[in-house]
Amino acid sequence: MKVRNIFYCLLNLNKRKKELEMSKEIRKIAVRGGHNFQATGARGIIDETTEDRKVKDAVIKYLRQAGYEVLDVTPGNCDVNTDLAYGVNKAENWGTDLFLSIHFDKAYDKYEGALGHACWVYRSGSESADIAQNIVNNVCNEIGFKNRGVRVNSSLYELRKTTMPAIIIETCFCEATEDVRIYKEKGADAIGKAIAEGVSKKQLDSSDKVEETSPVKPSKPSPESKPQGKNIWEVSIQGEEVKRLQHQLNVQGYGDIKEDGYFGESTLSVCPTVREGARGNITKCIQQRLLNRGYTSLKSNGGADGVFGRGTTIAIKNLQRNKGLNVDGIVGKNTWKALYRK
């Protein structure tokens, strides 16, 4: 018993130290949809596993719009122990700054009325508790759930096994009639947006515009995109630089493409639209391509630092101007092709 108490004490101190170290800036966020279709979650009027995937996808979309680098750490079908370990281990290995796990709660077989929305954290007075309070307040204000506040539980796996700030988000109760009514009325997208706004403290765009770093559906190439009948990969660079981009597209959840070093239609189809305010390794790939193409003015503005700031926007505009593209400073499909053209 004493050994166990010492272990939990050390883990608590390590977690507290880690949160203090990370309190300056959060860049990388891991998001997990709770449970899976083998180790199932709660079931009431709605099914937790089915619905938390919808909210999780919306949270990821809006966090990317806010400029964060986001990794989906939701497992496939597996047993409950593998399910929990998968998300935590993947987040730890990625060097996550913040871990979010999306769930729905259940307390009764049936419940007439409202039970509400809450978050769980490892300890009070921590960075995760502060972020959780922002999430709860924003979700309840924007969506209309009853506010159950921030709860503390140091025994939950995802909270005690993570070294970074971690939050379990209980969207609402899946058996409570009023909770489910509000959930269906507002929708998973609006709830995901409210959660992301609670994290980022930014007002995000819920229109159908392309997000800051979100995946976009493949579009048919324009006539000029296949010069003289050639495929994109034939007129684009090849090798390790392309492999690095392909790897980031895969690990960040934009696609599941072959990391073969060829910049072709399959790679282009999963390239996100990226603009000023984005940050992370995909932005770094863009910056490195600009430098390799001779846009060396970027060196005096941070170089390939992974932060899409004013200097990167200027360099992208110069590239677009030189290639006869629409000059908007945004990396869309045609700008991606120009970046990786030989």
Side-chain angles (χ1 to χ4, degrees), residues 223 226-232 234:
K226 285 181 101 176
Q228 299 176 354
K230 291 185 178 181
N231 293 305
I232 292 175
E234 294 179 279

Side-chain angles (χ1 to χ4, degrees), residues 150-167:
V150 176
R151 310 294 179 95
V152 175
N153 190 329
S154 60
S155 67
L156 295 173
Y157 186 96
E158 294 171 302
L159 302 182
R160 63 183 172 85
K161 288 291 188 178
T162 46
T163 56
M164 74 291 294
I167 303 168

Side-chain angles (χ1 to χ4, degrees), residues 234-303:
E234 294 179 279
V235 296
S236 301
I237 66 165
Q238 303 168 8
E240 291 302 316
E241 195 171 355
V242 178
K243 283 185 180 181
R244 285 193 291 273
L245 171 66
Q246 291 169 329
H247 180 67
Q248 289 304 318
L249 292 169
N250 284 335
V251 300
Q252 294 190 42
Y254 290 105
D256 185 16
I257 57 175
K258 188 175 181 180
E259 297 175 22
D260 57 4
Y262 288 90
F263 189 89
E265 285 287 356
S266 62
T267 300
L268 179 65
S269 70
V270 297
C271 283
T273 298
V274 189
R275 67 185 74 194
E276 191 167 331
R279 59 179 69 226
N281 287 331
I282 291 178
T283 294
K284 191 177 289 187
C285 289
I286 292 169
Q287 293 169 325
Q288 192 58 59
R289 279 305 302 147
L290 286 167
L291 291 170
N292 291 347
R293 293 196 69 92
Y295 294 88
T296 54
S297 62
L298 189 60
K299 289 182 179 179
S300 61
N301 289 284

Side-chain angles (χ1 to χ4, degrees), residues 140 195 225 254 327:
C140 293
I195 291 170
S225 67
Y254 290 105
V327 181

Side-chain angles (χ1 to χ4, degrees), residues 52-341:
D52 72 33
R53 264 55 177 175
K54 298 174 185 177
V55 177
K56 176 263 298 181
D57 289 344
V59 170
I60 290 173
K61 178 180 75 171
Y62 286 110
L63 285 175
R64 284 174 173 157
Q65 183 191 131
Y68 295 104
E69 189 174 351
V70 186
L71 179 66
D72 188 340
V73 296
T74 305
N77 291 340
C78 56
D79 63 81
V80 64
N81 292 326
T82 303
D83 173 271
L84 290 167
Y86 177 91
V88 169
N89 292 340
K90 196 167 183 181
E92 291 285 348
N93 292 336
W94 191 51
T96 304
D97 300 325
L98 176 65
F99 180 91
L100 302 177
S101 187
I102 311 299
H103 290 259
F104 282 68
D105 213 337
K106 186 180 180 183
Y108 309 97
D109 289 334
K110 296 179 181 180
Y111 189 88
E112 292 291 331
L115 289 173
H117 172 86
C119 288
W120 292 98
V121 297
Y122 186 83
R123 65 185 299 276
S124 60
S126 60
E127 182 182 9
S128 53
D130 292 340
I131 297 169
Q133 191 64 65
N134 291 337
I135 292 171
V136 170
N137 290 345
N138 198 63
V139 169
C140 293
N141 289 338
E142 293 295 322
I143 305 302
F145 289 132
K146 179 181 177 181
N147 191 328
R148 298 176 59 238
V150 176
R151 310 294 179 95
V152 175
N153 190 329
S154 60
S155 67
L156 295 173
Y157 186 96
E158 294 171 302
L159 302 182
R160 63 183 172 85
K161 288 291 188 178
T162 46
T163 56
M164 74 291 294
I167 303 168
I168 295 175
I169 300 169
E170 299 284 6
T171 305
C172 67
F173 282 75
C174 59
E175 82 280 24
T177 56
E178 182 63 9
D179 286 15
V180 174
R181 184 195 67 78
I182 293 171
Y183 173 72
K184 289 183 175 180
E185 178 183 294
K186 298 293 185 177
D189 190 78
I191 293 168
K193 176 175 176 285
I195 291 170
E197 288 177 337
V199 173
S200 65
K201 298 181 182 178
K202 294 179 180 178
Q203 191 70 35
L204 302 174
D205 183 7
S206 60
S207 72
D208 292 330
K209 295 178 187 176
V210 175
E211 313 298 346
E212 190 168 67
T213 57
S214 64
V216 295
K217 294 180 179 179
S219 57
K220 293 182 179 180
S222 57
E224 64 269 21
S225 67
K226 285 181 101 176
Q228 299 176 354
K230 291 185 178 181
N231 293 305
I232 292 175
W233 68 266
E234 294 179 279
V235 296
S236 301
I237 66 165
Q238 303 168 8
E240 291 302 316
E241 195 171 355
V242 178
K243 283 185 180 181
R244 285 193 291 273
L245 171 66
Q246 291 169 329
H247 180 67
Q248 289 304 318
L249 292 169
N250 284 335
V251 300
Q252 294 190 42
Y254 290 105
D256 185 16
I257 57 175
K258 188 175 181 180
E259 297 175 22
D260 57 4
Y262 288 90
F263 189 89
E265 285 287 356
S266 62
T267 300
L268 179 65
S269 70
V270 297
C271 283
T273 298
V274 189
R275 67 185 74 194
E276 191 167 331
R279 59 179 69 226
N281 287 331
I282 291 178
T283 294
K284 191 177 289 187
C285 289
I286 292 169
Q287 293 169 325
Q288 192 58 59
R289 279 305 302 147
L290 286 167
L291 291 170
N292 291 347
R293 293 196 69 92
Y295 294 88
T296 54
S297 62
L298 189 60
K299 289 182 179 179
S300 61
N301 289 284
D305 60 0
V307 179
F308 201 127
R310 186 62 185 157
T312 304
T313 299
I314 292 171
I316 288 294
K317 285 183 175 180
N318 287 337
L319 169 73
Q320 291 169 331
R321 191 174 293 110
N322 292 339
K323 298 299 179 181
L325 303 175
N326 180 41
V327 181
D328 58 6
I330 299 171
V331 184
K333 295 302 183 190
N334 288 331
T335 302
W336 275 111
K337 286 187 285 188
L339 276 167
Y340 282 82
R341 189 69 56 91

